[in-house]
Amino acid sequence: MSYKEIYQQSIEQPEDFWRDKAQALPWFKFPHTILSKDDNGIDRWFADGEMNTAYMALDHHVENGRADQLALIYDSPVSGQKRQYTYRELRDEVAKAAGMIADQGVSKGDRVIIYMPMIPEAAIAMLACARLGAIHSVVFGGFAANELAVRIDDAEPALIISASCGIEISKIIEYKPLLDEAIELASHDTPKCIILQRPQAAAAMTAGRDLDWNETMVSAEAVDCTPVKAIDPLYILYTSGTTGKPKGVVRDNGGHAVAMNYSMHAVYDINPGEVFWAASDVGWVVGHSYIVYAPLLRGCTTIFYEGKPILTPDAGAFWRVASEYSASALFAAPTAFRAIKKSDPDGEMIKDYDLSALKTIFMAGERLDPPTYEWTVEKTGKPVNDHWWQTETGWAIAGNMLGLEPMTVKPGSATVPAPGYNVKILDDYGTEMGPNGQGYIAVKLPLPPSCMPTIWNNHERFVDDYLERFPGYYVSGDGGYIDDDGYVFVMGRIDDVINIAGHRLSTGEMEEIVADHPAVAECAVFGINDALKGEVPLGMVLIKDGIDIDEETLNNELKAMVRKKIGAIACYNKTLIVTRLPKTRSGKILRRVLRQIAAGEEYTVPSTIDDPASLAELESVIKDHDIN
Ligand code: COA
Ligand code: AMP
């Protein structure tokens, strides 16, 4: 069947389509109900199915001929370590870790926060939670104590699992002091903590609260998989929204497993037994979906890489790893390739490695700019596929469906909608637009399996943020268009979310921090283009009357505040002092115009503007500071 026919079937007969895809997995009880509504009126997949994600990802493969196949390869240039696990070894470790976690009183439905760097124990902890039916919530290691505290208070974990440190190139980032501070900041009752001591830094343990991973594992006994309902949550992954409070994206077990397994075939064209490498971090959705769950559900070997695209030790790092383990696919954010390109513009290092096993390079997480696309194709000689998705969906909304019918790539486009996603472009009134019309990218309901059914502890926010604006549609938060051939072009966020080096962050949250500075009367923080990181934040600030502070001092203080509250990954390092901000007559800051002026783009003066002269002033401030 052609892509078009498959896609049509997925939209017109979604239940038949996904029933068929669900059959590829080993359920304890195959679902009778394929698509139904929950008490909130949200579409749910496979509601009465019974299964266990860790069973599907590990035990099933051990029992069906993959026991001695490699499941996970750990390669850590930053610590000089390499380790490998077969499916049997990984299953056994996970079963023991599940026993260790259960010994702390954790059972089905309890939350466990995992705050770890890119070490195999992070995947073991995630899968161990899945084995118990406990809900994990992984927090990216680059987040500061305050961010961790917010997540602790929202998820109310029964246990926290962490490590003594992470390693950023050659910098040791001690996690334990951050964890201790977060527990201090949080109001949720201090849970038990299991800490993996790494040789690079010894964590001071709090007696009666902290347990040593290695010591506890010695006495732990392996436990079996707990059956869960398909709609029981597998994990909560917090992501940035438009306010300071992150959203706990809930992922259910069944729909997720089905979509993960299907996407490995349809989107990535990867077969069981192949090596799949997503060079991201377990703290992001890419790490959840394509470092941990999808490759294992598909019976592949996954690579856990604790390093960077450059400097660990050089710009040949990606090619070395892909070649050493004969990876069939490499998936990373465009930023990573921009960094490689900057460091090795002629791609000389690519020639040092045998990349014959590498079939395709995939990119996502931010817009893939055509120059980066072209450089990667030219220098590697490999097909490069952009694909667009979000934490909310867990897998591609649009991509080149290599396993169905590969299409000609159009640089700048994520290619075509994935089966199950009825992608539409809507105008301000919610009317579907025709080809090439630019508007809100939305997905007509029902969303396919794996997409979030709610926000943890806040269903109202889920409805407000995604469903309310255009009834019958999920609003993605991205803007763009679909061309005459049905190709989807994602042009960028239409809200206060930005992507910095492929990391999703909230400018709204940064704005709240900047506004807290005693000298700041008013401010706007928004994203501006950056040649390496895609986007970085820029703060425009109005100073309170009577306060004398220069731009550099203010910038340094704000930078320190944002690092302390969010983390270094926010990359806040640009502040402009202005005397007025463009506003509507009702007092709303015109952010879109600000963004356009900062980007040096053409803009239309909004009819609602209160003070048109403010725009000319901004243009000259931007020009003076050479922002672009
Ligand atoms: N833990 C602690 N700190 C972290 C961190 C982590 N896991 N990840 C990043 N940081 C810190 C960095 O050390 C840096 O700190 P500094 O300002 O004190 O030097 C800061 O956050 C900014 O990091 P980053 O944005 O990564 O910039 P960089 O200049 O260190 O590295 C790249 C640039 C391109 C090499 C890097 O951004 C990269 O590998 N990007 C790919 C991103 C990616 O794969 N994203 C996955 C989403 S799909
Ligand atoms: P995250 O939830 O961290 O995966 O970030 C999701 C957001 O990243 C999307 O809403 C987009 O704004 C952006 N994004 C992800 N992939 C792409 C892509 N291929 N092209 C353009 N933007 C992308």
Side-chain angles (χ1 to χ4, degrees), residues 140-142 168 171 173 175 279-281 284 286 308-310 333 335-336 339 364 501-503 533 563 568-569 571:
F140 177 58
E168 277 296 294
K171 214 171 24 178
I173 310 277
Y175 279 34
S280 177
D281 187 289
W284 304 108
V286 178
K308 298 271 175 184
I310 51 169
T335 299
H503 303 143
K533 298 187 180 183
R563 277 176 90 94
I569 48 161
C571 298

PDB file of all heavy atoms in Angstrom, residues 140-142 168 171 173 175 279-281 284 286 308-310 333 335-336 339 364 501-503 533 563 568-569 571, ligand 1:
ATOM      1  N   PHE A 140      15.494  16.255  33.845  1.00  0.00           N
ATOM      2  CA  PHE A 140      16.760  16.491  33.144  1.00  0.00           C
ATOM      3  C   PHE A 140      17.817  16.998  34.125  1.00  0.00           C
ATOM      4  O   PHE A 140      17.564  17.906  34.918  1.00  0.00           O
ATOM      5  CB  PHE A 140      16.511  17.514  32.028  1.00  0.00           C
ATOM      6  CG  PHE A 140      17.746  17.902  31.268  1.00  0.00           C
ATOM      7  CD1 PHE A 140      18.518  16.942  30.619  1.00  0.00           C
ATOM      8  CD2 PHE A 140      18.131  19.232  31.171  1.00  0.00           C
ATOM      9  CE1 PHE A 140      19.654  17.305  29.902  1.00  0.00           C
ATOM     10  CE2 PHE A 140      19.263  19.602  30.450  1.00  0.00           C
ATOM     11  CZ  PHE A 140      20.026  18.636  29.822  1.00  0.00           C
ATOM     12  N   GLY A 141      19.017  16.415  34.034  1.00  0.00           N
ATOM     13  CA  GLY A 141      20.089  16.752  34.971  1.00  0.00           C
ATOM     14  C   GLY A 141      20.558  18.192  34.890  1.00  0.00           C
ATOM     15  O   GLY A 141      21.200  18.683  35.822  1.00  0.00           O
ATOM     16  N   GLY A 142      20.252  18.869  33.805  1.00  0.00           N
ATOM     17  CA  GLY A 142      20.694  20.261  33.664  1.00  0.00           C
ATOM     18  C   GLY A 142      19.796  21.248  34.381  1.00  0.00           C
ATOM     19  O   GLY A 142      20.083  22.434  34.412  1.00  0.00           O
ATOM     20  N   GLU A 168      29.799  17.138  32.482  1.00  0.00           N
ATOM     21  CA  GLU A 168      29.580  17.992  31.310  1.00  0.00           C
ATOM     22  C   GLU A 168      30.937  18.269  30.679  1.00  0.00           C
ATOM     23  O   GLU A 168      31.675  19.130  31.118  1.00  0.00           O
ATOM     24  CB  GLU A 168      28.936  19.302  31.755  1.00  0.00           C
ATOM     25  CG  GLU A 168      27.448  19.217  31.911  1.00  0.00           C
ATOM     26  CD  GLU A 168      26.768  18.928  30.587  1.00  0.00           C
ATOM     27  OE1 GLU A 168      26.808  19.773  29.695  1.00  0.00           O
ATOM     28  OE2 GLU A 168      26.213  17.823  30.461  1.00  0.00           O
ATOM     29  N   LYS A 171      33.612  19.034  33.152  1.00  0.00           N
ATOM     30  CA  LYS A 171      33.126  19.648  34.395  1.00  0.00           C
ATOM     31  C   LYS A 171      32.284  18.626  35.166  1.00  0.00           C
ATOM     32  O   LYS A 171      31.385  18.011  34.598  1.00  0.00           O
ATOM     33  CB  LYS A 171      32.224  20.812  33.981  1.00  0.00           C
ATOM     34  CG  LYS A 171      32.239  22.006  34.857  1.00  0.00           C
ATOM     35  CD  LYS A 171      31.490  23.213  34.267  1.00  0.00           C
ATOM     36  CE  LYS A 171      30.414  22.951  33.252  1.00  0.00           C
ATOM     37  NZ  LYS A 171      29.677  24.062  32.722  1.00  0.00           N
ATOM     38  N   ILE A 173      29.382  17.924  37.524  1.00  0.00           N
ATOM     39  CA  ILE A 173      28.208  18.616  38.079  1.00  0.00           C
ATOM     40  C   ILE A 173      27.701  17.749  39.230  1.00  0.00           C
ATOM     41  O   ILE A 173      27.175  16.652  39.009  1.00  0.00           O
ATOM     42  CB  ILE A 173      27.077  18.743  37.028  1.00  0.00           C
ATOM     43  CG1 ILE A 173      27.591  19.306  35.691  1.00  0.00           C
ATOM     44  CG2 ILE A 173      25.883  19.505  37.595  1.00  0.00           C
ATOM     45  CD1 ILE A 173      27.717  20.791  35.593  1.00  0.00           C
ATOM     46  N   TYR A 175      25.247  16.399  41.620  1.00  0.00           N
ATOM     47  CA  TYR A 175      23.784  16.373  41.669  1.00  0.00           C
ATOM     48  C   TYR A 175      23.256  16.404  43.103  1.00  0.00           C
ATOM     49  O   TYR A 175      22.176  16.902  43.359  1.00  0.00           O
ATOM     50  CB  TYR A 175      23.254  15.089  41.012  1.00  0.00           C
ATOM     51  CG  TYR A 175      23.186  15.119  39.505  1.00  0.00           C
ATOM     52  CD1 TYR A 175      24.122  15.806  38.749  1.00  0.00           C
ATOM     53  CD2 TYR A 175      22.180  14.434  38.827  1.00  0.00           C
ATOM     54  CE1 TYR A 175      24.063  15.813  37.370  1.00  0.00           C
ATOM     55  CE2 TYR A 175      22.104  14.431  37.454  1.00  0.00           C
ATOM     56  CZ  TYR A 175      23.046  15.128  36.723  1.00  0.00           C
ATOM     57  OH  TYR A 175      22.976  15.127  35.361  1.00  0.00           O
ATOM     58  N   ALA A 279      21.035  10.394  20.007  1.00  0.00           N
ATOM     59  CA  ALA A 279      22.037  11.086  20.821  1.00  0.00           C
ATOM     60  C   ALA A 279      21.378  12.249  21.546  1.00  0.00           C
ATOM     61  O   ALA A 279      21.590  13.402  21.213  1.00  0.00           O
ATOM     62  CB  ALA A 279      23.166  11.581  19.933  1.00  0.00           C
ATOM     63  N   SER A 280      20.535  11.925  22.504  1.00  0.00           N
ATOM     64  CA  SER A 280      19.867  12.966  23.269  1.00  0.00           C
ATOM     65  C   SER A 280      20.130  12.668  24.747  1.00  0.00           C
ATOM     66  O   SER A 280      21.195  12.163  25.095  1.00  0.00           O
ATOM     67  CB  SER A 280      18.377  12.953  22.927  1.00  0.00           C
ATOM     68  OG  SER A 280      17.666  13.897  23.691  1.00  0.00           O
ATOM     69  N   ASP A 281      19.173  12.958  25.590  1.00  0.00           N
ATOM     70  CA  ASP A 281      19.342  12.732  27.025  1.00  0.00           C
ATOM     71  C   ASP A 281      18.034  12.155  27.548  1.00  0.00           C
ATOM     72  O   ASP A 281      16.953  12.569  27.089  1.00  0.00           O
ATOM     73  CB  ASP A 281      19.646  14.072  27.713  1.00  0.00           C
ATOM     74  CG  ASP A 281      20.009  13.901  29.177  1.00  0.00           C
ATOM     75  OD1 ASP A 281      19.125  13.576  30.005  1.00  0.00           O
ATOM     76  OD2 ASP A 281      21.193  14.099  29.511  1.00  0.00           O
ATOM     77  N   TRP A 284      14.807  14.253  28.316  1.00  0.00           N
ATOM     78  CA  TRP A 284      13.895  14.817  27.315  1.00  0.00           C
ATOM     79  C   TRP A 284      13.045  13.711  26.719  1.00  0.00           C
ATOM     80  O   TRP A 284      13.361  12.531  26.842  1.00  0.00           O
ATOM     81  CB  TRP A 284      14.681  15.517  26.205  1.00  0.00           C
ATOM     82  CG  TRP A 284      15.606  16.573  26.707  1.00  0.00           C
ATOM     83  CD1 TRP A 284      16.962  16.503  26.744  1.00  0.00           C
ATOM     84  CD2 TRP A 284      15.258  17.848  27.288  1.00  0.00           C
ATOM     85  NE1 TRP A 284      17.490  17.666  27.292  1.00  0.00           N
ATOM     86  CE2 TRP A 284      16.452  18.500  27.630  1.00  0.00           C
ATOM     87  CE3 TRP A 284      14.041  18.503  27.539  1.00  0.00           C
ATOM     88  CZ2 TRP A 284      16.484  19.780  28.213  1.00  0.00           C
ATOM     89  CZ3 TRP A 284      14.078  19.763  28.119  1.00  0.00           C
ATOM     90  CH2 TRP A 284      15.284  20.395  28.456  1.00  0.00           C
ATOM     91  N   VAL A 286      12.805  12.759  23.702  1.00  0.00           N
ATOM     92  CA  VAL A 286      13.555  11.933  22.736  1.00  0.00           C
ATOM     93  C   VAL A 286      14.237  10.787  23.479  1.00  0.00           C
ATOM     94  O   VAL A 286      14.283   9.649  23.011  1.00  0.00           O
ATOM     95  CB  VAL A 286      14.608  12.770  21.969  1.00  0.00           C
ATOM     96  CG1 VAL A 286      15.408  11.893  21.020  1.00  0.00           C
ATOM     97  CG2 VAL A 286      13.944  13.898  21.204  1.00  0.00           C
ATOM     98  N   LYS A 308      29.169  14.612  24.153  1.00  0.00           N
ATOM     99  CA  LYS A 308      28.648  15.708  23.338  1.00  0.00           C
ATOM    100  C   LYS A 308      29.027  15.457  21.887  1.00  0.00           C
ATOM    101  O   LYS A 308      29.883  14.631  21.596  1.00  0.00           O
ATOM    102  CB  LYS A 308      29.282  17.029  23.801  1.00  0.00           C
ATOM    103  CG  LYS A 308      28.971  17.405  25.231  1.00  0.00           C
ATOM    104  CD  LYS A 308      27.720  18.224  25.323  1.00  0.00           C
ATOM    105  CE  LYS A 308      27.361  18.478  26.774  1.00  0.00           C
ATOM    106  NZ  LYS A 308      26.122  19.192  26.924  1.00  0.00           N
ATOM    107  N   PRO A 309      28.447  16.220  20.971  1.00  0.00           N
ATOM    108  CA  PRO A 309      28.852  16.055  19.568  1.00  0.00           C
ATOM    109  C   PRO A 309      30.265  16.579  19.297  1.00  0.00           C
ATOM    110  O   PRO A 309      30.896  16.190  18.330  1.00  0.00           O
ATOM    111  CB  PRO A 309      27.808  16.884  18.802  1.00  0.00           C
ATOM    112  CG  PRO A 309      27.132  17.745  19.812  1.00  0.00           C
ATOM    113  CD  PRO A 309      27.299  17.117  21.140  1.00  0.00           C
ATOM    114  N   ILE A 310      30.725  17.490  20.134  1.00  0.00           N
ATOM    115  CA  ILE A 310      32.084  18.042  19.981  1.00  0.00           C
ATOM    116  C   ILE A 310      32.766  17.997  21.345  1.00  0.00           C
ATOM    117  O   ILE A 310      32.092  17.829  22.373  1.00  0.00           O
ATOM    118  CB  ILE A 310      32.047  19.510  19.489  1.00  0.00           C
ATOM    119  CG1 ILE A 310      31.108  20.337  20.379  1.00  0.00           C
ATOM    120  CG2 ILE A 310      31.606  19.595  18.038  1.00  0.00           C
ATOM    121  CD1 ILE A 310      31.183  21.831  20.159  1.00  0.00           C
ATOM    122  N   ALA A 333      19.557  16.452  17.559  1.00  0.00           N
ATOM    123  CA  ALA A 333      18.994  17.776  17.276  1.00  0.00           C
ATOM    124  C   ALA A 333      19.884  18.504  16.256  1.00  0.00           C
ATOM    125  O   ALA A 333      21.097  18.311  16.252  1.00  0.00           O
ATOM    126  CB  ALA A 333      18.917  18.576  18.568  1.00  0.00           C
ATOM    127  N   THR A 335      21.061  21.349  16.300  1.00  0.00           N
ATOM    128  CA  THR A 335      22.146  22.054  16.998  1.00  0.00           C
ATOM    129  C   THR A 335      23.417  21.226  17.051  1.00  0.00           C
ATOM    130  O   THR A 335      24.517  21.750  16.916  1.00  0.00           O
ATOM    131  CB  THR A 335      21.728  22.374  18.454  1.00  0.00           C
ATOM    132  OG1 THR A 335      20.600  23.214  18.396  1.00  0.00           O
ATOM    133  CG2 THR A 335      22.816  23.060  19.225  1.00  0.00           C
ATOM    134  N   ALA A 336      23.261  19.941  17.280  1.00  0.00           N
ATOM    135  CA  ALA A 336      24.427  19.069  17.392  1.00  0.00           C
ATOM    136  C   ALA A 336      25.205  19.086  16.073  1.00  0.00           C
ATOM    137  O   ALA A 336      26.439  19.159  16.064  1.00  0.00           O
ATOM    138  CB  ALA A 336      23.982  17.654  17.740  1.00  0.00           C
ATOM    139  N   ALA A 339      27.003  22.335  15.587  1.00  0.00           N
ATOM    140  CA  ALA A 339      28.234  22.375  16.388  1.00  0.00           C
ATOM    141  C   ALA A 339      29.349  21.597  15.678  1.00  0.00           C
ATOM    142  O   ALA A 339      30.498  22.053  15.628  1.00  0.00           O
ATOM    143  CB  ALA A 339      27.973  21.788  17.777  1.00  0.00           C
ATOM    144  N   ALA A 364      15.406  16.255  14.849  1.00  0.00           N
ATOM    145  CA  ALA A 364      14.163  16.827  15.402  1.00  0.00           C
ATOM    146  C   ALA A 364      14.506  17.616  16.649  1.00  0.00           C
ATOM    147  O   ALA A 364      15.652  17.642  17.077  1.00  0.00           O
ATOM    148  CB  ALA A 364      13.159  15.729  15.733  1.00  0.00           C
ATOM    149  N   ALA A 501      19.174  25.168  21.735  1.00  0.00           N
ATOM    150  CA  ALA A 501      20.007  23.979  21.511  1.00  0.00           C
ATOM    151  C   ALA A 501      19.165  22.711  21.636  1.00  0.00           C
ATOM    152  O   ALA A 501      19.602  21.714  22.207  1.00  0.00           O
ATOM    153  CB  ALA A 501      21.178  23.948  22.500  1.00  0.00           C
ATOM    154  N   GLY A 502      17.946  22.763  21.108  1.00  0.00           N
ATOM    155  CA  GLY A 502      17.083  21.582  21.165  1.00  0.00           C
ATOM    156  C   GLY A 502      16.459  21.369  22.537  1.00  0.00           C
ATOM    157  O   GLY A 502      15.781  20.376  22.760  1.00  0.00           O
ATOM    158  N   HIS A 503      16.712  22.273  23.468  1.00  0.00           N
ATOM    159  CA  HIS A 503      16.121  22.162  24.802  1.00  0.00           C
ATOM    160  C   HIS A 503      14.915  23.081  24.881  1.00  0.00           C
ATOM    161  O   HIS A 503      15.016  24.270  24.601  1.00  0.00           O
ATOM    162  CB  HIS A 503      17.120  22.559  25.893  1.00  0.00           C
ATOM    163  CG  HIS A 503      18.397  21.768  25.867  1.00  0.00           C
ATOM    164  ND1 HIS A 503      19.613  22.320  26.153  1.00  0.00           N
ATOM    165  CD2 HIS A 503      18.634  20.474  25.590  1.00  0.00           C
ATOM    166  CE1 HIS A 503      20.561  21.391  26.060  1.00  0.00           C
ATOM    167  NE2 HIS A 503      19.983  20.253  25.707  1.00  0.00           N
ATOM    168  N   LYS A 533      22.774  27.710  18.486  1.00  0.00           N
ATOM    169  CA  LYS A 533      21.725  27.090  19.307  1.00  0.00           C
ATOM    170  C   LYS A 533      20.321  27.268  18.753  1.00  0.00           C
ATOM    171  O   LYS A 533      19.352  26.899  19.389  1.00  0.00           O
ATOM    172  CB  LYS A 533      21.815  27.630  20.734  1.00  0.00           C
ATOM    173  CG  LYS A 533      23.158  27.260  21.357  1.00  0.00           C
ATOM    174  CD  LYS A 533      23.282  27.603  22.802  1.00  0.00           C
ATOM    175  CE  LYS A 533      24.681  27.178  23.263  1.00  0.00           C
ATOM    176  NZ  LYS A 533      24.918  27.380  24.662  1.00  0.00           N
ATOM    177  N   ARG A 563      20.145  31.249  35.895  1.00  0.00           N
ATOM    178  CA  ARG A 563      20.921  30.001  36.102  1.00  0.00           C
ATOM    179  C   ARG A 563      20.532  29.332  37.405  1.00  0.00           C
ATOM    180  O   ARG A 563      20.394  28.119  37.487  1.00  0.00           O
ATOM    181  CB  ARG A 563      22.417  30.316  36.158  1.00  0.00           C
ATOM    182  CG  ARG A 563      23.088  30.438  34.827  1.00  0.00           C
ATOM    183  CD  ARG A 563      24.534  30.851  35.042  1.00  0.00           C
ATOM    184  NE  ARG A 563      25.399  29.687  35.178  1.00  0.00           N
ATOM    185  CZ  ARG A 563      26.071  29.138  34.172  1.00  0.00           C
ATOM    186  NH1 ARG A 563      25.981  29.628  32.970  1.00  0.00           N
ATOM    187  NH2 ARG A 563      26.842  28.095  34.370  1.00  0.00           N
ATOM    188  N   ALA A 568      21.774  26.322  33.843  1.00  0.00           N
ATOM    189  CA  ALA A 568      22.641  26.918  32.821  1.00  0.00           C
ATOM    190  C   ALA A 568      22.071  26.725  31.422  1.00  0.00           C
ATOM    191  O   ALA A 568      22.308  27.539  30.525  1.00  0.00           O
ATOM    192  CB  ALA A 568      24.031  26.306  32.909  1.00  0.00           C
ATOM    193  N   ILE A 569      21.273  25.657  31.219  1.00  0.00           N
ATOM    194  CA  ILE A 569      20.743  25.368  29.886  1.00  0.00           C
ATOM    195  C   ILE A 569      19.829  26.470  29.352  1.00  0.00           C
ATOM    196  O   ILE A 569      19.547  26.503  28.164  1.00  0.00           O
ATOM    197  CB  ILE A 569      19.971  24.031  29.823  1.00  0.00           C
ATOM    198  CG1 ILE A 569      18.981  23.919  30.967  1.00  0.00           C
ATOM    199  CG2 ILE A 569      20.904  22.854  29.760  1.00  0.00           C
ATOM    200  CD1 ILE A 569      17.903  22.894  30.705  1.00  0.00           C
ATOM    201  N   CYS A 571      20.628  29.434  29.069  1.00  0.00           N
ATOM    202  CA  CYS A 571      21.517  30.288  28.254  1.00  0.00           C
ATOM    203  C   CYS A 571      21.075  31.746  28.251  1.00  0.00           C
ATOM    204  O   CYS A 571      21.141  32.415  27.219  1.00  0.00           O
ATOM    205  CB  CYS A 571      21.593  29.772  26.815  1.00  0.00           C
ATOM    206  SG  CYS A 571      22.276  28.128  26.684  1.00  0.00           S
TER     207      CYS A 571
HETATM  208  N1  COA B   1      23.663  18.907  33.259  1.00  0.00           N
HETATM  209  C1  COA B   1      24.192  20.048  33.737  1.00  0.00           C
HETATM  210  N2  COA B   1      24.477  21.116  32.981  1.00  0.00           N
HETATM  211  C2  COA B   1      24.198  21.017  31.673  1.00  0.00           C
HETATM  212  C3  COA B   1      23.648  19.870  31.101  1.00  0.00           C
HETATM  213  C4  COA B   1      23.379  18.772  31.954  1.00  0.00           C
HETATM  214  N3  COA B   1      22.865  17.651  31.507  1.00  0.00           N
HETATM  215  N4  COA B   1      23.492  20.091  29.776  1.00  0.00           N
HETATM  216  C5  COA B   1      23.946  21.318  29.527  1.00  0.00           C
HETATM  217  N5  COA B   1      24.387  21.882  30.680  1.00  0.00           N
HETATM  218  C6  COA B   1      25.003  23.199  30.845  1.00  0.00           C
HETATM  219  C7  COA B   1      26.301  23.296  30.063  1.00  0.00           C
HETATM  220  O1  COA B   1      27.386  22.775  30.784  1.00  0.00           O
HETATM  221  C8  COA B   1      26.420  24.791  29.851  1.00  0.00           C
HETATM  222  O2  COA B   1      26.861  25.366  31.054  1.00  0.00           O
HETATM  223  P1  COA B   1      27.849  26.642  31.087  1.00  0.00           P
HETATM  224  O3  COA B   1      27.037  27.795  30.601  1.00  0.00           O
HETATM  225  O4  COA B   1      28.204  26.759  32.531  1.00  0.00           O
HETATM  226  O5  COA B   1      29.002  26.310  30.209  1.00  0.00           O
HETATM  227  C9  COA B   1      24.968  25.232  29.664  1.00  0.00           C
HETATM  228  O6  COA B   1      24.169  24.203  30.289  1.00  0.00           O
HETATM  229  C10 COA B   1      24.538  25.389  28.240  1.00  0.00           C
HETATM  230  O7  COA B   1      24.672  24.124  27.596  1.00  0.00           O
HETATM  231  P2  COA B   1      24.409  23.875  26.062  1.00  0.00           P
HETATM  232  O8  COA B   1      23.246  24.660  25.621  1.00  0.00           O
HETATM  233  O9  COA B   1      24.362  22.427  25.831  1.00  0.00           O
HETATM  234  O10 COA B   1      25.626  24.565  25.341  1.00  0.00           O
HETATM  235  P3  COA B   1      27.135  24.132  25.193  1.00  0.00           P
HETATM  236  O11 COA B   1      27.806  25.314  24.605  1.00  0.00           O
HETATM  237  O12 COA B   1      27.680  23.538  26.440  1.00  0.00           O
HETATM  238  O13 COA B   1      27.084  22.957  24.092  1.00  0.00           O
HETATM  239  C11 COA B   1      26.219  21.871  22.094  1.00  0.00           C
HETATM  240  C12 COA B   1      26.642  23.197  22.765  1.00  0.00           C
HETATM  241  C13 COA B   1      25.709  22.179  20.724  1.00  0.00           C
HETATM  242  C14 COA B   1      27.413  20.949  22.026  1.00  0.00           C
HETATM  243  C15 COA B   1      25.118  21.227  22.931  1.00  0.00           C
HETATM  244  O14 COA B   1      24.098  22.163  23.142  1.00  0.00           O
HETATM  245  C16 COA B   1      24.496  19.987  22.330  1.00  0.00           C
HETATM  246  O15 COA B   1      25.041  18.917  22.358  1.00  0.00           O
HETATM  247  N6  COA B   1      23.264  20.142  21.844  1.00  0.00           N
HETATM  248  C17 COA B   1      22.438  19.064  21.389  1.00  0.00           C
HETATM  249  C18 COA B   1      21.225  19.100  22.254  1.00  0.00           C
HETATM  250  C19 COA B   1      20.396  17.872  22.216  1.00  0.00           C
HETATM  251  O16 COA B   1      20.817  16.802  21.869  1.00  0.00           O
HETATM  252  N7  COA B   1      19.172  18.062  22.625  1.00  0.00           N
HETATM  253  C20 COA B   1      18.258  16.979  22.747  1.00  0.00           C
HETATM  254  C21 COA B   1      16.886  17.368  22.384  1.00  0.00           C
HETATM  255  S1  COA B   1      16.358  16.325  21.095  1.00  0.00           S
END
